Amino acid sequence: MSLRAKRKGRDTVAVPERIARGLLGVSAVTNRITKPVLSKRGFVAGDIVSRWHEIVGVELAAASIPERIQLERGARSNGTLHLRVASGAAAALIHPQLPLIMERINGFLGAGTVSQVRVIQAPLPNRIVRKPIPRARPLTAEALAEADTQIGALDSDQLRQALARLGARLKERK
């Protein structure tokens, strides 16, 4: 364990370097552990598995999971994404979405990383699926009018309307 000198008043105190840098997030520690395992499976970035729902969307992520990315030895482009889907019905629904999935993967990993997608039909592992945030109900005219009267006069009508909507939402949540 390396020590780092830290001045405290007139005295210099030896502090372990780990503490001197501050706390690490859990993802930093898990990435260090999972990176070697995922790179053996062909994943250029381990984040592709953990952030799959962000990359392809919640609906597609609920029915699929990336198995591996197969690249030629030493190559960083023209790879094949092996995508596991839960059933034949899920494969039929995902098949028209394959160009979109490739576009999003290439946007995440870099242009041209994936040029093909192979669909594998197999059970998905048990995992927590994040549900989309429900949309807010439309605001009532009374709530908007009340918030509008509390704002007062502003030069910009757009700003006044935006503040009125915000105020009405905040009051609705209370």
Side-chain angles (χ1 to χ4, degrees):
M1 173 169 49
S2 63
L3 298 175
R4 183 180 280 181
K6 186 175 183 183
R7 296 201 125 224
K8 193 171 190 177
R10 292 184 185 181
D11 302 328
T12 302
V13 180
V15 178
E17 187 177 347
R18 176 67 229 116
I19 295 171
R21 284 187 292 158
L23 298 175
L24 281 178
V26 174
S27 66
V29 176
T30 56
N31 283 342
R32 236 185 275 152
I33 295 168
T34 58
K35 188 174 182 175
V37 175
L38 291 173
S39 65
K40 285 181 185 176
R41 299 214 31 142
F43 288 109
V44 180
D47 290 344
I48 192 171
V49 176
S50 61
R51 297 177 62 190
W52 182 244
H53 66 281
E54 295 173 26
I55 296 169
V56 298
V58 178
E59 292 83 19
L60 292 175
S64 65
I65 190 166
E67 277 271 312
R68 63 190 163 120
I69 296 177
Q70 187 176 4
L71 294 165
E72 294 293 325
R73 189 171 294 254
R76 292 277 184 200
S77 61
N78 294 329
T80 302
L81 170 68
H82 293 262
L83 187 64
R84 182 189 281 204
V85 296
S87 64
L93 291 173
I94 285 180
H95 197 69
Q97 303 288 334
L98 292 181
L100 176 67
I101 291 172
M102 281 187 351
E103 180 181 322
R104 289 182 178 176
I105 292 285
N106 286 329
F108 186 76
L109 295 176
T113 304
V114 173
S115 61
Q116 291 182 354
V117 178
R118 293 233 170 111
V119 178
I120 302 165
Q121 195 174 326
L124 296 180
N126 292 335
R127 59 195 162 120
I128 298 171
V129 177
R130 296 186 178 138
K131 294 181 181 177
I133 298 170
R135 288 192 167 206
R137 291 177 282 137
L139 292 170
T140 62
E142 299 90 31
L144 279 172
E146 182 182 340
D148 193 32
T149 58
Q150 291 178 353
I151 290 173
L154 290 174
D155 292 338
S156 171
D157 279 342
Q158 287 180 325
L159 177 61
R160 188 175 45 73
Q161 290 171 357
L163 287 173
R165 286 193 305 271
L166 175 63
R169 287 274 179 231
L170 291 174
K171 188 171 184 178
E172 185 181 80
R173 287 187 180 175
K174 288 182 182 180

Coordinates of all heavy atoms in Angstrom, one line a residue, residues 22-117:
G22 N -10.1 9.5 -2.5 CA -11.5 9.6 -2.3 C -12.2 8.2 -2.6 O -11.5 7.3 -2.9
L23 N -13.5 8.2 -2.4 CA -14.2 6.9 -2.6 C -14.4 6.6 -4.1 O -14.5 7.5 -4.9 CB -15.6 7.0 -1.9 CG -15.5 7.2 -0.4 CD1 -16.9 7.4 0.1 CD2 -14.9 6.0 0.3
L24 N -14.4 5.3 -4.4 CA -14.7 4.9 -5.8 C -16.2 4.4 -5.9 O -16.7 3.9 -4.9 CB -13.8 3.7 -6.1 CG -12.4 4.0 -6.5 CD1 -11.7 2.7 -6.8 CD2 -12.3 4.9 -7.7
G25 N -16.8 4.6 -7.0 CA -18.1 4.0 -7.2 C -18.0 2.5 -7.4 O -17.0 2.0 -7.8
V26 N -19.1 1.8 -7.2 CA -19.1 0.4 -7.3 C -18.9 0.0 -8.8 O -18.2 -1.0 -9.0 CB -20.5 -0.1 -6.9 CG1 -20.7 -1.6 -7.2 CG2 -20.8 0.1 -5.4
S27 N -19.3 0.8 -9.7 CA -19.1 0.4 -11.1 C -17.6 0.4 -11.5 O -17.2 -0.4 -12.3 CB -19.8 1.4 -12.1 OG -19.3 2.7 -11.9
A28 N -16.8 1.3 -10.9 CA -15.4 1.3 -11.1 C -14.7 0.0 -10.7 O -13.8 -0.6 -11.4 CB -14.7 2.5 -10.5
V29 N -15.2 -0.5 -9.6 CA -14.6 -1.8 -9.0 C -15.1 -3.0 -9.9 O -14.3 -3.8 -10.3 CB -15.0 -2.0 -7.6 CG1 -14.5 -3.3 -7.0 CG2 -14.4 -0.8 -6.7
T30 N -16.4 -3.0 -10.2 CA -16.9 -4.1 -11.0 C -16.4 -4.1 -12.4 O -16.2 -5.2 -12.9 CB -18.5 -4.1 -11.0 OG1 -18.9 -2.9 -11.5 CG2 -19.0 -4.3 -9.6
N31 N -16.1 -3.0 -13.0 CA -15.6 -2.9 -14.3 C -14.2 -3.6 -14.3 O -13.8 -4.2 -15.3 CB -15.5 -1.5 -14.9 CG -16.9 -1.0 -15.3 OD1 -17.8 -1.8 -15.6 ND2 -17.0 0.3 -15.4
R32 N -13.4 -3.3 -13.3 CA -12.1 -3.9 -13.2 C -12.1 -5.4 -13.1 O -11.3 -6.1 -13.7 CB -11.4 -3.4 -11.9 CG -10.1 -2.7 -12.2 CD -9.3 -2.3 -11.0 NE -9.8 -1.0 -10.6 CZ -9.8 -0.6 -9.3 NH1 -9.4 -1.3 -8.3 NH2 -10.3 0.6 -9.0
I33 N -13.2 -5.9 -12.5 CA -13.3 -7.4 -12.3 C -13.9 -8.0 -13.6 O -13.4 -9.0 -14.1 CB -14.2 -7.7 -11.1 CG1 -13.5 -7.2 -9.8 CG2 -14.5 -9.2 -11.1 CD1 -14.4 -7.3 -8.6
T34 N -14.9 -7.4 -14.2 CA -15.6 -8.0 -15.3 C -14.9 -7.8 -16.7 O -15.2 -8.5 -17.6 CB -17.0 -7.4 -15.4 OG1 -17.0 -6.0 -15.6 CG2 -17.9 -7.8 -14.2
K35 N -14.1 -6.8 -16.8 CA -13.4 -6.5 -18.1 C -12.7 -7.7 -18.7 O -12.8 -8.0 -19.8 CB -12.5 -5.2 -18.0 CG -12.0 -4.8 -19.3 CD -11.2 -3.5 -19.2 CE -10.8 -3.1 -20.6 NZ -10.1 -1.8 -20.5
P36 N -11.8 -8.4 -17.9 CA -11.1 -9.5 -18.5 C -12.0 -10.6 -18.9 O -11.8 -11.2 -20.0 CB -10.2 -10.0 -17.4 CG -10.1 -8.9 -16.4 CD -11.3 -8.1 -16.5
V37 N -13.1 -10.9 -18.2 CA -14.0 -11.9 -18.5 C -14.8 -11.6 -19.8 O -15.0 -12.4 -20.7 CB -15.0 -12.2 -17.3 CG1 -16.0 -13.2 -17.7 CG2 -14.2 -12.7 -16.1
L38 N -15.3 -10.3 -19.8 CA -16.1 -9.9 -21.0 C -15.2 -9.8 -22.2 O -15.7 -10.0 -23.3 CB -16.8 -8.6 -20.7 CG -17.9 -8.7 -19.6 CD1 -18.5 -7.3 -19.3 CD2 -19.1 -9.6 -20.1
S39 N -14.0 -9.4 -22.1 CA -13.1 -9.3 -23.3 C -12.9 -10.6 -23.9 O -12.7 -10.8 -25.1 CB -11.8 -8.5 -23.0 OG -11.1 -9.3 -22.1
K40 N -12.8 -11.7 -23.1 CA -12.6 -13.0 -23.6 C -13.9 -13.5 -24.4 O -13.8 -14.3 -25.3 CB -12.4 -14.1 -22.5 CG -11.0 -14.0 -21.9 CD -10.9 -15.0 -20.8 CE -9.5 -14.8 -20.1 NZ -9.4 -15.8 -19.0
R41 N -15.0 -12.9 -24.1 CA -16.3 -13.2 -24.8 C -16.5 -12.3 -26.0 O -17.5 -12.4 -26.7 CB -17.5 -13.1 -23.8 CG -17.3 -14.1 -22.7 CD -18.6 -14.6 -22.2 NE -19.6 -14.8 -23.2 CZ -20.4 -15.8 -23.2 NH1 -20.3 -16.8 -22.4 NH2 -21.4 -15.9 -24.1
G42 N -15.5 -11.5 -26.3 CA -15.6 -10.7 -27.5 C -16.2 -9.3 -27.3 O -16.4 -8.5 -28.2
F43 N -16.4 -8.9 -26.0 CA -17.0 -7.5 -25.8 C -15.8 -6.5 -25.7 O -15.0 -6.6 -24.9 CB -17.8 -7.5 -24.6 CG -19.1 -8.2 -24.7 CD1 -19.4 -9.4 -24.1 CD2 -20.1 -7.7 -25.6 CE1 -20.5 -10.1 -24.3 CE2 -21.3 -8.4 -25.8 CZ -21.5 -9.6 -25.1
V44 N -15.8 -5.6 -26.7 CA -14.8 -4.6 -26.7 C -15.0 -3.7 -25.5 O -14.0 -3.3 -24.8 CB -14.9 -3.7 -28.0 CG1 -13.9 -2.7 -28.0 CG2 -14.8 -4.6 -29.2
A45 N -16.2 -3.4 -25.1 CA -16.5 -2.6 -23.9 C -17.4 -3.4 -23.1 O -18.5 -3.8 -23.5 CB -17.1 -1.3 -24.3
G46 N -17.1 -3.6 -21.8 CA -17.9 -4.3 -20.9 C -19.2 -3.6 -20.6 O -20.2 -4.2 -20.1
D47 N -19.3 -2.3 -20.9 CA -20.5 -1.5 -20.6 C -21.6 -2.0 -21.5 O -22.8 -1.7 -21.2 CB -20.2 0.0 -20.9 CG -19.3 0.6 -19.8 OD1 -19.2 0.0 -18.7 OD2 -18.8 1.7 -20.1
I48 N -21.4 -2.6 -22.6 CA -22.4 -3.0 -23.5 C -23.4 -3.9 -22.8 O -24.6 -3.8 -23.0 CB -21.9 -3.6 -24.8 CG1 -23.0 -3.7 -25.8 CG2 -21.3 -5.0 -24.5 CD1 -22.5 -4.1 -27.2
V49 N -23.0 -4.8 -21.9 CA -23.9 -5.7 -21.2 C -24.6 -5.0 -20.1 O -25.8 -5.1 -20.0 CB -23.1 -6.9 -20.6 CG1 -24.0 -7.8 -19.8 CG2 -22.4 -7.7 -21.7
S50 N -23.9 -4.2 -19.3 CA -24.5 -3.5 -18.2 C -25.4 -2.4 -18.6 O -26.4 -2.0 -17.9 CB -23.5 -3.0 -17.2 OG -22.6 -2.1 -17.8
R51 N -25.2 -1.8 -19.8 CA -26.0 -0.7 -20.3 C -26.8 -1.0 -21.5 O -27.3 -0.2 -22.3 CB -25.1 0.5 -20.6 CG -24.3 1.0 -19.4 CD -23.4 2.1 -19.6 NE -24.1 3.3 -20.2 CZ -23.5 4.3 -20.7 NH1 -22.2 4.3 -20.7 NH2 -24.1 5.3 -21.1
W52 N -27.1 -2.3 -21.7 CA -27.9 -2.8 -22.8 C -29.2 -2.1 -22.9 O -29.7 -1.7 -24.0 CB -28.0 -4.3 -22.7 CG -28.7 -4.9 -23.9 CD1 -29.9 -5.6 -23.9 CD2 -28.3 -5.0 -25.2 NE1 -30.2 -6.0 -25.1 CE2 -29.3 -5.7 -26.0 CE3 -27.2 -4.5 -25.9 CZ2 -29.2 -5.9 -27.3 CZ3 -27.1 -4.7 -27.3 CH2 -28.0 -5.4 -28.0
H53 N -29.9 -2.0 -21.8 CA -31.2 -1.3 -21.8 C -31.2 0.1 -22.3 O -32.1 0.6 -22.9 CB -31.9 -1.4 -20.5 CG -31.3 -0.7 -19.4 ND1 -30.1 -1.2 -18.7 CD2 -31.5 0.5 -18.9 CE1 -29.7 -0.3 -17.9 NE2 -30.6 0.7 -17.9
E54 N -30.1 0.8 -22.0 CA -29.9 2.2 -22.4 C -29.6 2.3 -23.9 O -30.0 3.2 -24.6 CB -28.8 2.9 -21.7 CG -29.0 3.1 -20.2 CD -27.8 3.6 -19.5 OE1 -27.0 4.3 -20.1 OE2 -27.7 3.3 -18.3
I55 N -28.8 1.3 -24.4 CA -28.4 1.3 -25.8 C -29.5 1.0 -26.8 O -29.7 1.7 -27.7 CB -27.2 0.3 -26.0 CG1 -26.0 0.7 -25.2 CG2 -26.9 0.2 -27.5 CD1 -24.9 -0.4 -25.1
V56 N -30.3 -0.1 -26.5 CA -31.3 -0.5 -27.4 C -32.7 -0.1 -27.0 O -33.7 -0.3 -27.8 CB -31.2 -2.0 -27.7 CG1 -29.9 -2.4 -28.3 CG2 -31.5 -2.8 -26.5
G57 N -32.9 0.3 -25.8 CA -34.2 0.7 -25.3 C -34.8 -0.4 -24.4 O -34.4 -1.6 -24.5
V58 N -35.7 -0.1 -23.5 CA -36.2 -1.0 -22.5 C -37.0 -2.2 -23.2 O -36.8 -3.3 -22.8 CB -37.1 -0.2 -21.5 CG1 -37.7 -1.2 -20.5 CG2 -36.4 0.9 -20.9
E59 N -37.8 -1.9 -24.2 CA -38.6 -3.0 -24.8 C -37.7 -4.0 -25.5 O -37.9 -5.2 -25.3 CB -39.5 -2.4 -25.9 CG -40.6 -1.5 -25.3 CD -40.2 -0.1 -25.1 OE1 -39.1 0.4 -25.6 OE2 -40.8 0.6 -24.3
L60 N -36.7 -3.6 -26.3 CA -35.8 -4.6 -26.9 C -34.9 -5.3 -25.9 O -34.6 -6.4 -26.0 CB -34.9 -3.9 -27.9 CG -35.6 -3.4 -29.2 CD1 -34.7 -2.6 -30.1 CD2 -36.3 -4.5 -29.9
A61 N -34.5 -4.6 -24.8 CA -33.6 -5.2 -23.8 C -34.4 -6.2 -23.0 O -33.8 -7.1 -22.5 CB -33.1 -4.1 -22.9
A62 N -35.7 -6.0 -22.9 CA -36.5 -7.0 -22.1 C -36.5 -8.4 -22.8 O -36.7 -9.4 -22.2 CB -37.9 -6.5 -21.9
A63 N -36.4 -8.4 -24.1 CA -36.5 -9.6 -24.9 C -35.2 -10.1 -25.5 O -35.1 -11.1 -26.1 CB -37.5 -9.4 -26.1
S64 N -34.1 -9.4 -25.2 CA -32.8 -9.8 -25.7 C -31.6 -9.4 -24.8 O -31.8 -8.6 -23.9 CB -32.6 -9.1 -27.1 OG -32.5 -7.7 -26.9
I65 N -30.5 -10.1 -25.1 CA -29.3 -9.8 -24.4 C -28.1 -10.1 -25.3 O -28.1 -11.1 -26.0 CB -29.2 -10.5 -23.0 CG1 -28.0 -10.0 -22.2 CG2 -29.1 -12.0 -23.2 CD1 -28.1 -10.5 -20.8
P66 N -27.0 -9.3 -25.3 CA -25.9 -9.6 -26.2 C -25.1 -10.8 -25.6 O -24.8 -10.8 -24.4 CB -25.1 -8.3 -26.2 CG -25.4 -7.6 -24.9 CD -26.9 -8.0 -24.6
E67 N -24.8 -11.7 -26.5 CA -24.0 -12.9 -26.1 C -22.5 -12.6 -26.2 O -21.8 -12.7 -25.3 CB -24.3 -14.1 -27.0 CG -25.5 -14.8 -26.7 CD -25.2 -16.0 -25.7 OE1 -24.2 -16.7 -25.9 OE2 -25.9 -16.1 -24.7
R68 N -22.1 -12.1 -27.4 CA -20.7 -11.8 -27.7 C -20.6 -11.0 -29.0 O -21.6 -11.0 -29.8 CB -19.8 -13.0 -27.8 CG -20.2 -13.9 -28.9 CD -19.5 -15.3 -28.8 NE -20.1 -16.2 -29.6 CZ -19.5 -16.9 -30.6 NH1 -18.3 -16.6 -30.9 NH2 -20.2 -17.7 -31.3
I69 N -19.5 -10.4 -29.2 CA -19.2 -9.7 -30.4 C -18.0 -10.4 -31.0 O -16.9 -10.5 -30.4 CB -18.9 -8.2 -30.3 CG1 -20.1 -7.5 -29.8 CG2 -18.5 -7.6 -31.6 CD1 -19.9 -6.1 -29.5
Q70 N -18.2 -11.0 -32.2 CA -17.1 -11.8 -32.8 C -16.4 -10.9 -33.9 O -17.0 -10.4 -34.8 CB -17.7 -13.0 -33.5 CG -16.7 -14.0 -34.1 CD -17.4 -15.2 -34.6 OE1 -18.7 -15.3 -34.7 NE2 -16.7 -16.1 -35.1
L71 N -15.1 -10.6 -33.6 CA -14.3 -9.8 -34.5 C -13.1 -10.7 -35.0 O -12.7 -11.6 -34.4 CB -13.7 -8.6 -33.8 CG -14.7 -7.6 -33.3 CD1 -14.0 -6.7 -32.3 CD2 -15.2 -6.8 -34.4
E72 N -12.7 -10.4 -36.2 CA -11.5 -11.0 -36.7 C -10.3 -10.7 -35.8 O -10.3 -9.6 -35.2 CB -11.2 -10.5 -38.2 CG -12.2 -10.9 -39.2 CD -12.2 -12.4 -39.4 OE1 -11.1 -13.1 -39.4 OE2 -13.3 -13.0 -39.6
R73 N -9.3 -11.6 -35.7 CA -8.2 -11.3 -34.8 C -7.5 -10.0 -35.2 O -7.1 -9.8 -36.3 CB -7.2 -12.5 -34.9 CG -6.1 -12.5 -33.9 CD -5.4 -13.7 -33.9 NE -6.2 -14.9 -33.5 CZ -6.1 -15.5 -32.3 NH1 -5.2 -15.1 -31.5 NH2 -6.9 -16.5 -32.0
G74 N -7.4 -9.2 -34.2 CA -6.7 -7.9 -34.4 C -7.6 -6.8 -35.0 O -7.2 -5.7 -35.1
A75 N -8.8 -7.1 -35.5 CA -9.7 -6.1 -36.1 C -10.5 -5.4 -35.1 O -10.8 -6.0 -34.0 CB -10.5 -6.8 -37.2
R76 N -10.9 -4.2 -35.4 CA -11.9 -3.5 -34.6 C -13.1 -3.1 -35.3 O -13.9 -2.3 -34.8 CB -11.2 -2.2 -34.1 CG -10.1 -2.4 -33.2 CD -10.6 -2.5 -31.8 NE -9.6 -2.7 -30.8 CZ -9.8 -3.2 -29.6 NH1 -11.0 -3.6 -29.3 NH2 -8.8 -3.3 -28.8
S77 N -13.3 -3.7 -36.5 CA -14.5 -3.4 -37.3 C -15.1 -4.6 -38.0 O -14.4 -5.7 -38.0 CB -14.2 -2.3 -38.3 OG -13.3 -2.7 -39.2
N78 N -16.2 -4.5 -38.6 CA -16.9 -5.6 -39.3 C -17.1 -6.8 -38.4 O -16.9 -8.0 -38.8 CB -16.1 -6.0 -40.6 CG -16.2 -4.9 -41.6 OD1 -17.1 -4.1 -41.6 ND2 -15.1 -4.8 -42.3
G79 N -17.5 -6.6 -37.2 CA -17.8 -7.7 -36.3 C -19.2 -8.2 -36.4 O -20.1 -7.6 -37.0
T80 N -19.5 -9.3 -35.7 CA -20.8 -9.9 -35.7 C -21.3 -10.0 -34.3 O -20.6 -10.5 -33.4 CB -20.8 -11.4 -36.2 OG1 -20.3 -11.3 -37.6 CG2 -22.1 -12.0 -36.2
L81 N -22.4 -9.4 -34.0 CA -23.0 -9.4 -32.7 C -23.9 -10.6 -32.6 O -24.8 -10.8 -33.4 CB -23.9 -8.1 -32.5 CG -24.8 -8.1 -31.2 CD1 -23.9 -8.1 -30.0 CD2 -25.7 -6.9 -31.3
H82 N -23.7 -11.4 -31.6 CA -24.5 -12.6 -31.4 C -25.5 -12.2 -30.3 O -25.1 -11.9 -29.2 CB -23.7 -13.8 -30.9 CG -22.8 -14.3 -32.0 ND1 -23.1 -15.4 -32.7 CD2 -21.6 -13.9 -32.4 CE1 -22.1 -15.6 -33.6 NE2 -21.2 -14.7 -33.4
L83 N -26.8 -12.2 -30.7 CA -27.8 -11.6 -29.8 C -28.7 -12.8 -29.4 O -29.3 -13.5 -30.2 CB -28.6 -10.6 -30.6 CG -29.7 -9.8 -29.9 CD1 -29.0 -8.9 -28.8 CD2 -30.4 -8.9 -30.8
R84 N -28.9 -12.9 -28.1 CA -29.7 -14.0 -27.5 C -31.1 -13.4 -27.3 O -31.3 -12.4 -26.7 CB -29.2 -14.5 -26.2 CG -30.0 -15.6 -25.6 CD -29.6 -16.0 -24.2 NE -28.4 -16.8 -24.2 CZ -28.0 -17.6 -23.3 NH1 -28.8 -17.7 -22.2 NH2 -27.0 -18.3 -23.3
V85 N -32.1 -14.1 -27.8 CA -33.5 -13.8 -27.6 C -34.3 -14.9 -26.9 O -33.9 -16.1 -27.0 CB -34.2 -13.4 -29.0 CG1 -33.6 -12.2 -29.6 CG2 -34.2 -14.5 -29.9
A86 N -35.3 -14.6 -26.3 CA -36.0 -15.5 -25.4 C -36.8 -16.6 -26.2 O -36.9 -17.7 -25.8 CB -37.0 -14.8 -24.4
S87 N -37.4 -16.2 -27.3 CA -38.3 -17.2 -28.0 C -38.4 -16.8 -29.5 O -37.9 -15.8 -29.9 CB -39.7 -17.1 -27.4 OG -40.3 -15.8 -27.6
G88 N -39.1 -17.7 -30.2 CA -39.3 -17.4 -31.6 C -40.1 -16.2 -31.9 O -39.9 -15.4 -32.8
A89 N -41.1 -16.0 -31.0 CA -41.9 -14.8 -31.1 C -41.0 -13.5 -30.9 O -41.2 -12.5 -31.6 CB -43.0 -14.8 -30.1
A90 N -40.2 -13.5 -29.9 CA -39.3 -12.4 -29.7 C -38.3 -12.2 -30.8 O -38.1 -11.1 -31.2 CB -38.5 -12.6 -28.4
A91 N -37.9 -13.3 -31.4 CA -37.0 -13.2 -32.6 C -37.7 -12.5 -33.8 O -37.1 -11.7 -34.5 CB -36.4 -14.6 -33.0
A92 N -39.0 -12.9 -33.9 CA -39.8 -12.3 -35.0 C -40.0 -10.8 -34.8 O -40.0 -10.0 -35.8 CB -41.1 -13.0 -35.1
L93 N -40.1 -10.4 -33.6 CA -40.3 -9.0 -33.3 C -39.0 -8.2 -33.4 O -39.0 -7.1 -33.8 CB -40.9 -8.8 -31.9 CG -42.4 -9.3 -31.7 CD1 -42.8 -9.2 -30.2 CD2 -43.3 -8.5 -32.6
I94 N -37.9 -8.9 -33.0 CA -36.6 -8.2 -33.0 C -36.0 -8.1 -34.4 O -35.3 -7.1 -34.8 CB -35.7 -8.8 -32.0 CG1 -36.1 -8.4 -30.6 CG2 -34.2 -8.5 -32.3 CD1 -35.2 -9.0 -29.5
H95 N -36.3 -9.1 -35.3 CA -35.7 -9.1 -36.6 C -35.9 -7.8 -37.4 O -34.9 -7.4 -38.0 CB -36.2 -10.3 -37.4 CG -35.4 -10.7 -38.6 ND1 -34.1 -11.2 -38.4 CD2 -35.6 -10.5 -39.9 CE1 -33.6 -11.4 -39.6 NE2 -34.5 -11.0 -40.5
P96 N -37.0 -7.2 -37.5 CA -37.1 -5.9 -38.2 C -36.3 -4.8 -37.5 O -36.0 -3.8 -38.2 CB -38.6 -5.6 -38.2 CG -39.3 -6.8 -37.8 CD -38.3 -7.7 -37.0
Q97 N -36.0 -5.0 -36.2 CA -35.3 -3.9 -35.5 C -33.8 -4.1 -35.6 O -33.0 -3.2 -35.1 CB -35.7 -4.0 -34.0 CG -37.1 -3.9 -33.7 CD -37.6 -2.5 -34.0 OE1 -36.9 -1.5 -33.9 NE2 -38.9 -2.3 -34.3
L98 N -33.3 -5.1 -36.3 CA -31.8 -5.3 -36.4 C -31.0 -4.2 -36.9 O -29.9 -3.8 -36.4 CB -31.5 -6.6 -37.1 CG -32.0 -7.9 -36.4 CD1 -31.6 -9.1 -37.3 CD2 -31.4 -8.0 -35.0
P99 N -31.4 -3.5 -38.0 CA -30.7 -2.3 -38.4 C -30.6 -1.2 -37.3 O -29.5 -0.6 -37.2 CB -31.4 -1.8 -39.7 CG -32.2 -3.0 -40.1 CD -32.5 -3.8 -38.9
L100 N -31.7 -1.0 -36.6 CA -31.6 0.0 -35.5 C -30.7 -0.5 -34.4 O -29.9 0.3 -33.9 CB -33.1 0.1 -35.0 CG -33.2 1.0 -33.8 CD1 -32.9 2.5 -34.1 CD2 -34.6 0.9 -33.2
I101 N -30.7 -1.8 -34.1 CA -29.8 -2.3 -33.0 C -28.3 -2.1 -33.5 O -27.5 -1.6 -32.7 CB -30.1 -3.8 -32.7 CG1 -31.5 -3.9 -32.0 CG2 -29.0 -4.4 -31.9 CD1 -32.0 -5.3 -31.9
M102 N -28.0 -2.4 -34.7 CA -26.7 -2.2 -35.2 C -26.3 -0.8 -35.2 O -25.1 -0.4 -34.8 CB -26.5 -2.8 -36.7 CG -26.4 -4.2 -36.7 SD -26.0 -5.0 -38.3 CE -26.2 -3.7 -39.5
E103 N -27.2 0.1 -35.6 CA -26.9 1.5 -35.5 C -26.6 2.0 -34.1 O -25.6 2.8 -33.9 CB -28.1 2.3 -36.1 CG -27.9 3.8 -36.1 CD -29.1 4.5 -36.7 OE1 -29.8 4.0 -37.6 OE2 -29.5 5.6 -36.2
R104 N -27.4 1.6 -33.2 CA -27.2 2.0 -31.8 C -25.9 1.4 -31.2 O -25.2 2.1 -30.4 CB -28.4 1.6 -30.9 CG -29.6 2.5 -31.2 CD -30.7 2.1 -30.4 NE -31.9 3.0 -30.7 CZ -33.0 2.8 -30.1 NH1 -33.2 1.9 -29.2 NH2 -34.0 3.6 -30.4
I105 N -25.6 0.1 -31.5 CA -24.4 -0.5 -31.0 C -23.1 0.2 -31.6 O -22.2 0.5 -30.9 CB -24.3 -2.0 -31.4 CG1 -25.4 -2.8 -30.7 CG2 -22.9 -2.6 -31.2 CD1 -25.1 -3.0 -29.2
N106 N -23.2 0.5 -32.9 CA -22.1 1.2 -33.5 C -22.0 2.7 -33.0 O -20.9 3.2 -32.9 CB -22.2 1.2 -35.1 CG -21.9 -0.1 -35.6 OD1 -21.1 -0.9 -35.1 ND2 -22.6 -0.4 -36.7
G107 N -23.1 3.3 -32.6 CA -23.0 4.6 -32.0 C -22.4 4.5 -30.6 O -21.7 5.5 -30.2
F108 N -22.5 3.4 -30.0 CA -22.0 3.2 -28.6 C -20.5 2.8 -28.7 O -19.7 3.3 -28.0 CB -22.8 2.2 -27.9 CG -22.4 2.0 -26.4 CD1 -22.7 2.9 -25.5 CD2 -21.6 0.9 -26.0 CE1 -22.4 2.8 -24.2 CE2 -21.3 0.7 -24.7 CZ -21.6 1.7 -23.8
L109 N -20.2 1.9 -29.6 CA -18.8 1.3 -29.7 C -17.9 2.0 -30.7 O -16.7 2.0 -30.6 CB -18.9 -0.2 -30.0 CG -19.5 -1.1 -29.0 CD1 -19.6 -2.5 -29.5 CD2 -18.8 -1.0 -27.7
G110 N -18.5 2.7 -31.6 CA -17.7 3.3 -32.7 C -18.2 2.8 -34.1 O -18.6 1.6 -34.2
A111 N -18.2 3.6 -35.0 CA -18.7 3.3 -36.4 C -18.0 2.1 -37.0 O -16.8 2.0 -36.9 CB -18.5 4.5 -37.3
G112 N -18.9 1.2 -37.5 CA -18.3 0.0 -38.2 C -17.9 -1.1 -37.3 O -17.4 -2.1 -37.8
T113 N -18.1 -1.0 -36.0 CA -17.7 -2.1 -35.1 C -18.5 -3.4 -35.4 O -18.0 -4.5 -35.5 CB -17.9 -1.7 -33.6 OG1 -17.1 -0.5 -33.4 CG2 -17.3 -2.8 -32.7
V114 N -19.8 -3.2 -35.6 CA -20.7 -4.3 -35.8 C -21.3 -4.2 -37.2 O -21.9 -3.1 -37.5 CB -21.8 -4.4 -34.8 CG1 -22.8 -5.5 -35.1 CG2 -21.2 -4.7 -33.4
S115 N -21.2 -5.2 -38.1 CA -21.7 -5.1 -39.4 C -22.8 -6.2 -39.6 O -23.5 -6.2 -40.6 CB -20.7 -5.3 -40.5 OG -20.0 -6.5 -40.3
Q116 N -22.9 -7.2 -38.7 CA -23.9 -8.2 -38.8 C -24.4 -8.5 -37.4 O -23.7 -8.3 -36.4 CB -23.3 -9.5 -39.3 CG -22.9 -9.5 -40.7 CD -22.4 -10.9 -41.1 OE1 -22.2 -11.8 -40.3 NE2 -22.1 -11.1 -42.4
V117 N -25.7 -9.0 -37.4 CA -26.2 -9.5 -36.1 C -26.8 -10.9 -36.3 O -27.5 -11.2 -37.3 CB -27.4 -8.6 -35.6 CG1 -28.0 -9.1 -34.3 CG2 -26.9 -7.2 -35.4

